[in-house]
Amino acid sequence: MALTALNPALASLDPDALPDDGTDPGDEEAHAVEVRQLQVPMDLHTSRLDKALAELVPEFSRSYLQQLLGQGAVQLNGQAVQKPAAKVKLGDQLTVAMRPTAQSQAFKPEAMALNVVFEDEHLLVVNKPAGLVVHPAPGNWSGTLLNGLLAHHAGAVQVPRAGIVHRLDKDTSGLMVVAKTRAVMDALVALIAQRDVSRRYLALGQGGWQGAPMQTVDAAIGRDPRNRLRMAVVDLQHSPGKTARTDITCLSTTTAHCLVHCKLHTGRTHQIRVHMQHLHHPLVADAVYGGAAEGGLQRQALHAFALQFVHPITGQDLALRAPPPDDFLTAAEKLGLQYNCPP
């Protein structure tokens, strides 16, 4: 990581006074300081300083930037400031001294073959393969979709999270929409919040389907109180969580398995996986929620096959589809399920 001291006064800051980022004290590069000069734009006028920093330096977490504030590593118009709640104004000059971290170095372009099913100057829709992590995180600081987007188009570096507005789990395949500008990102986030983006999935579940072909699961989801690494259906009167609703339609069933179509009305973490478990149909190969590996699958049998929304700039009605990948179709066949793409 190339480091340039843009402000000589800050170039001499003691790096050991900065927050611990897990680097080896004996590593020479861990003692280097990167200094960034930033200017407050109109959309951040009167914002809190910590919020402005989080927007202007998106590759660092807000908590890390707050630690930098506390260590006196941030200057506002040439004066050191330590209050996260300090207000900034249009045109204010911010100077931030930082040590490189695994997190910051993760935000770099990496050329990769992206399966783009739609693209214009405003946004793109990609068909993400199973196994591809969407966003850098501990254990996956490189080789993510975000890294690929940074290499795909130059403007991605100017957009928070490279324009990613929603996520798919690492082992879930399928369609994702990505913004190419900040204005489009804000518009897409608003569409998703208003439930104006239709997202539909195909899944393979364990257990033969019973009852009505279409069933709506309207059950809140929160952190599983017995296992903090999982989500679970919760009672909001007794546990924290958020409302969640999924329409699930059986497309094919045997006595032991079912192929279902899922339509999301909300977008909670692991929503389909949790709601299918709630119906006693955990997804095939979803070990986190009790699904056994069958049909040759080694990842949860979930694919985002359809995405529909009105283009926020052109007004075009985009209705995009991606057929399930070969591993999904092969597993369905081995389990005796008949695949017919839903209308």
Side-chain angles (χ1 to χ4, degrees), residues 222-234 238-240:
R223 191 68 61 181
D224 188 336
R226 297 168 298 180
N227 182 345
R228 303 298 294 175
L229 299 179
R230 309 190 326 167
M231 309 302 287
V233 168
V234 296
H238 301 97
S239 301

Side-chain angles (χ1 to χ4, degrees), residues 149-207:
L149 291 170
L150 290 172
H152 181 74
H153 71 102
V157 72
Q158 303 296 329
V159 188
R161 300 182 298 282
I164 294 170
V165 296
H166 66 111
R167 301 188 187 189
L168 293 177
D169 295 334
K170 173 185 176 181
D171 289 330
T172 296
S173 56
L175 297 176
M176 291 181 58
V177 60
V178 179
K180 296 177 76 171
T181 68
R182 179 58 186 266
V184 172
M185 183 177 193
D186 292 342
L188 288 173
V189 169
L191 286 177
I192 292 172
Q194 296 160 10
R195 303 180 185 178
D196 288 332
V197 176
S198 173
R199 290 169 289 168
R200 297 194 285 154
Y201 295 71
L202 295 170
L204 303 177
Q206 295 191 312

Side-chain angles (χ1 to χ4, degrees), residues 67-183:
Q67 291 180 58
L68 289 180
L69 279 168
Q71 295 294 334
V74 177
Q75 287 190 354
L76 174 60
N77 296 325
Q79 299 296 319
V81 59
Q82 294 181 287
K83 294 181 179 180
K87 298 294 185 180
V88 297
K89 303 187 298 295
L90 172 66
D92 278 351
Q93 301 293 321
L94 298 174
T95 307
V96 187
M98 301 172 292
R99 271 171 38 184
T101 66
Q103 185 177 2
S104 67
Q105 295 181 66
F107 282 64
K108 60 184 179 182
E110 294 181 28
M112 64 178 65
L114 298 178
N115 184 355
V116 178
V117 299
F118 174 87
E119 183 173 14
D120 63 13
E121 65 268 37
H122 308 293
L123 59 85
L124 68 153
V125 176
V126 298
N127 183 11
K128 185 188 85 69
L132 178 62
V133 175
V134 169
H135 194 278
N140 293 286
W141 289 121
S142 63
T144 71
L145 175 61
L146 182 144
N147 298 118
L149 291 170
L150 290 172
H152 181 74
H153 71 102
V157 72
Q158 303 296 329
V159 188
R161 300 182 298 282
I164 294 170
V165 296
H166 66 111
R167 301 188 187 189
L168 293 177
D169 295 334
K170 173 185 176 181
D171 289 330
T172 296
S173 56
L175 297 176
M176 291 181 58
V177 60
V178 179
K180 296 177 76 171
T181 68
R182 179 58 186 266

Side-chain angles (χ1 to χ4, degrees), residues 16-74:
D16 292 327
L18 298 176
D20 179 16
D21 57 13
T23 52
D24 183 350
D27 184 351
E28 181 178 351
E29 199 170 68
H31 292 280
V33 174
E34 177 191 10
V35 178
R36 295 198 190 180
Q37 298 278 16
L38 310 165
Q39 187 174 59
V40 176
M42 174 61 77
D43 61 346
L44 293 175
H45 179 63
T46 73
S47 295
R48 285 171 54 110
L49 176 56
D50 58 348
K51 180 181 185 298
L53 287 171
E55 293 288 335
L56 295 170
V57 194
E59 68 268 38
F60 288 91
S61 68
R62 190 166 176 172
S63 61
Y64 174 76
L65 293 167
Q66 287 175 333
Q67 291 180 58
L68 289 180
L69 279 168
Q71 295 294 334
V74 177

